Amino acid sequence: MPDSECDTTWLQKKSTPEYRQRFKAFQDWCKKEGIKHPKVQYPTMFGAGESKYPGMIALEDIAPGEAIVKVPSKLIINTKVAYMCPELQQVWYENPETFGRHTSHGDDNVFNAYILYHLNLGEKSKHYHMMQCWPRPSETGILMDWDDEDLEWL
C-alpha cells in the first residue's frame, strides 16, 4: 500500500478526543499487564477517504519467527477460556444443542457468548480496555452493516 494511504499520526492528530482517551487507557493497560509490541504501532489508519480502517504497522524490520506482539496467557481470549468461565458454565451445560462441542457451531457459540457476556460486564470485565478499542460500526464499515444492494454486488 502506498505511504500516502497509511497515516501513522492519525491517533495523535486526527482522531477524536474520546478515541484518543480509549487508546491511552488501552495502552496504559497493555503496559501494566505486560503486553509488549516494540516494533509495531497500533493503531495506524490505512486507506483513504471513506475507506479508512485501523490496523498495525511495523516500525522496523521484524525477523522471521520473531514475535510481533507478546501477550501474557492470562489475557488470551479463546474457546478454552470461554468454556472454563465459571459464570457461564451452567449455560453451556443446560444448552448442549447450542453450546455442545458435538454441534457444528458449538465452539463458535461459546466463544461469541463469552464475548457478549464480557461486553455486557463493561468496566467490570478483565477485557474491558481491549474491547473499548475494537472498531465500532460508526468508525469503520464492517460487512454486517452493509446495505443489501452492496452485499449483492459483492
Side-chain angles (χ1 to χ4, degrees):
M1 175 177 293
D3 289 341
S4 64
E5 294 185 19
C6 172
D7 187 352
T8 59
T9 65
W10 175 84
L11 181 64
Q12 299 82 7
K13 295 184 177 181
K14 297 176 187 163
S15 66
T16 65
E18 188 268 336
Y19 202 85
R20 280 192 294 275
Q21 183 179 356
R22 277 194 276 153
F23 267 92
K24 168 84 169 84
F26 173 67
Q27 290 163 345
D28 291 347
W29 175 79
C30 286
K31 187 174 183 179
K32 182 182 109 197
E33 295 294 335
I35 297 172
K36 297 177 180 162
H37 52 92
K39 294 186 176 183
V40 296
Q41 177 182 315
Y42 177 76
T44 293
M45 193 59 71
F46 293 92
E50 294 294 317
S51 300
K52 290 185 178 181
Y53 57 95
M56 181 181 288
I57 190 167
L59 301 172
E60 57 186 271
D61 288 343
I62 299 171
E66 182 178 5
I68 297 171
V69 178
K70 293 180 182 180
V71 179
S73 60
K74 69 179 182 174
L75 300 175
I76 300 292
I77 300 175
N78 59 30
T79 306
K80 181 178 178 183
V81 167
Y83 269 116
M84 301 307 292
C85 178
E87 297 84 2
L88 295 174
Q89 283 185 343
Q90 192 66 31
V91 175
W92 315 148
Y93 296 131
E94 290 176 0
N95 300 281
E97 69 286 351
T98 303
F99 300 111
R101 289 187 168 172
H102 65 284
T103 65
S104 62
H105 298 292
D107 285 344
D108 291 340
N109 293 338
V110 166
F111 185 80
N112 292 331
Y114 179 83
I115 296 296
L116 291 171
Y117 171 73
H118 276 274
L119 285 169
N120 188 56
L121 285 177
E123 291 184 36
K124 295 177 184 173
S125 171
K126 65 182 179 179
H127 308 297
Y128 175 76
H129 292 292
M130 175 184 52
M131 291 176 168
Q132 286 297 297
C133 292
W134 288 353
R136 288 161 168 64
S138 62
E139 297 166 350
T140 58
I142 56 176
L143 197 58
M144 70 178 222
D145 295 322
W146 285 23
D147 294 331
D148 289 338
E149 181 181 315
D150 294 329
L151 289 171
E152 287 177 25
W153 180 84
L154 185 65

